[in-house]
Structures are given as structure tokens and as C-alpha cells.
Amino acid sequence: MRKAHGTIYVGIDVSKDKLAVAIAGGERGDEVLSLVTFENTPASVGKLLKKLAGR
């Protein structure tokens, strides 16, 4: 049986050199997870989007 997709929230703190990303589930009380801090480049953002697409 396939689980239904839910809502996740993605927060991105942006600066010229770095990006910090956190995600949280859509339900009250869901844990907030810090994913990563990485360089602010198109290649790094592409990798992030691939990771998030799997969720």
C-alpha cells in the first residue's frame, strides 16, 4: 500500500556565500530537521532539490 504524500515545510536562510536549510513535517509537533549548510551555487541548489524530491 502506498502512503499518501503529506505537506513538508522547507526553510532556507540565504546569504551571499552560504545557504542553510531546515525542513519540518506539516503536522503540529513534527520535528524540525536541519539538513545542511552549503555553498550558494547553482550546482549545490540542484543537489538540494534532488534530495527534497525524494521526500
Side-chain angles (χ1 to χ4, degrees):
M1 175 183 251
R2 186 176 168 150
K3 186 177 177 182
H5 294 286
T7 301
I8 64 167
Y9 294 97
V10 179
I12 304 175
D13 183 15
V14 180
S15 73
K16 182 179 177 182
D17 299 324
K18 298 280 184 184
L19 300 174
V21 179
I23 64 167
E27 299 296 322
R28 181 178 290 268
D30 280 353
E31 186 177 353
V32 176
L33 304 171
S34 178
L35 279 180
V36 69
T37 299
F38 55 91
E39 290 184 31
N40 188 354
T41 64
S44 295
V45 173
K47 288 180 184 179
L48 169 66
L49 294 175
K50 286 181 183 178
K51 279 185 180 181
L52 292 175
R55 293 183 172 264

